[in-house]
Amino acid sequence: MDPTVALAQAPSLSADGQEEIAPWPDLSVELCGVRLPNPTVLASGILGLSHEVFERVARAGAGAITTKSCSLQPRPGWHNPVIVDWGQGLINAVGLSNPGVEVMVDEIRKARERLRPLGVPIIASIFANSIYDFGTIARYISEAEPDLIEVNISCPNLDARFEEMFAASPYVSAQVTRRVKDNTPIPVLVKLSPNVENIAKVAEAVAKAGADGISAINSLGPGLVLDIETAQPVLHNGVGGVSGPAIRPIAVRCVRDICRAVDLPVLAMGGVTTGRDVVEMLLVGATAVAIGSAIHYRGLDVFAQACAEVADYMRRHRYRCLDDFRGQALQR
Ligand SMILES: Cc1cc2nc3c(=O)[nH]c(=O)nc-3n(C[C@H](O)[C@H](O)[C@H](O)COP(=O)(O)O)c2cc1C
């Protein structure tokens, strides 16, 4: 049975067998000093380029919005098809297409005006091709005054001939973190990759370098899916990052390893589709939980639905706030 259905169906019973109505629990969280009305966050890149879309996602129930990663200069990205549902999840090679930081500063400013009255913070995602440029873009994006900055050092879809994944090295990850921190007063989340031997070591390095929090995980891979009739890859780029339900157990293990290794708030993601999956991430120590590919499966209602499912779990367990069970599975 779908575990979500099991959660929704289980009644709360008192000692005399009567069904009890437990009070609606408090789902709010604080992430690096920023208040979120609930722990669900729009993951970077799934929908996020324009302030109109950010507002729609916030009104649909997300507790915070992450923008698509932006670079100093505009990037066209790869040709279509850039994203395919392969059955157990998604595979994508978008190529970090974005209009460049100048346009994104404007979009984030407009989004801030629309999201502040809703109490929904905005997280600006940035990436660059060099350690130096990470500092420059951090300074630039700070002009838009996002609530948090997420530093994407972990995209698996780079052109290996010209670009490298910074998150592959604890040393380079720490250098990027230091450079960003030196160039912004805004709290910084550093986004890590599952495609490393020991994610805890990378987490320790960025924590020592001054990160305020960690986001994990970026998509897994790259992976390869073929159309066997044409013997061609389904993506124009050939390989792509794997996301969605298939990667969730890996994401949960990564988040647990990070939470064991460092004392920083973690924005967890990777395959989260239901309230049950949000609870799982919180049990291994996550502070908040981002949702990306699940929008493909459940639409924008996924945020409100996941929150209702988390609330239902909490009422069954008599938890009043997320701290009542956060980290319970950390040592198991
Ligand atoms: C189409 C697509 C585009 C993405 N673009 C970005 C991006 O620009 N920056 C980034 O940090 N992560 C990007 N990601 C990764 C997601 O933010 C997330 O880390 C990953 O998909 C795992 O979460 P999910 O399984 O809930 O989608 C992208 C993922 C997808 C599917």
Side-chain angles (χ1 to χ4, degrees), residues 78-247:
W78 305 124
H79 295 292
N80 278 320
V82 293
I83 180 161
V84 171
D85 181 343
W86 55 277
Q88 316 301 318
L90 306 180
I91 186 164
N92 88 84
V94 176
L96 289 168
S97 58
N98 76 93
V101 70
E102 214 175 307
V103 174
M104 281 314 290
V105 163
D106 196 41
E107 286 300 327
I108 292 168
R109 280 201 180 115
K110 288 180 182 148
R112 241 188 40 222
E113 276 170 32
R114 293 181 179 213
L115 299 194
R116 287 258 158 98
L118 305 176
V120 175
I122 184 150
I123 306 172
S125 173
I126 56 168
F127 82 98
N129 292 326
S130 70
I131 294 166
Y132 184 84
D133 279 356
F134 265 108
T136 312
I137 192 165
R139 206 168 51 238
Y140 214 141
I141 208 82
S142 301
E143 289 174 16
E145 297 178 37
D147 297 279
L148 294 162
I149 292 178
E150 182 173 85
V151 185
N152 177 8
I153 55 170
S154 46
C155 179
N157 294 326
L158 301 175
D159 185 333
R161 288 169 302 166
F162 307 114
E163 300 164 307
E164 61 176 335
M165 189 184 74
F166 298 91
S169 152
Y171 176 73
V172 177
S173 301
Q175 282 192 312
V176 172
T177 306
R178 220 166 274 129
R179 175 108 186 104
V180 171
K181 283 295 292 175
D182 285 346
N183 280 280
T184 182
I186 294 168
V188 168
L189 296 158
V190 180
K191 187 164 179 182
L192 303 189
S193 169
N195 310 317
V196 294
E197 206 174 317
N198 189 340
I199 199 167
K201 287 256 176 301
V202 189
E204 282 167 1
V206 301
K208 275 202 195 107
D212 300 284
I214 289 175
S215 297
I217 57 176
N218 211 317
S219 38
L220 187 70
L224 178 62
V225 176
L226 297 181
D227 173 349
I228 60 167
E229 300 307 322
T230 59
Q232 295 289 326
V234 293
L235 294 175
H236 185 271
N237 183 54
V239 298
V242 182
S243 63
I247 71 168

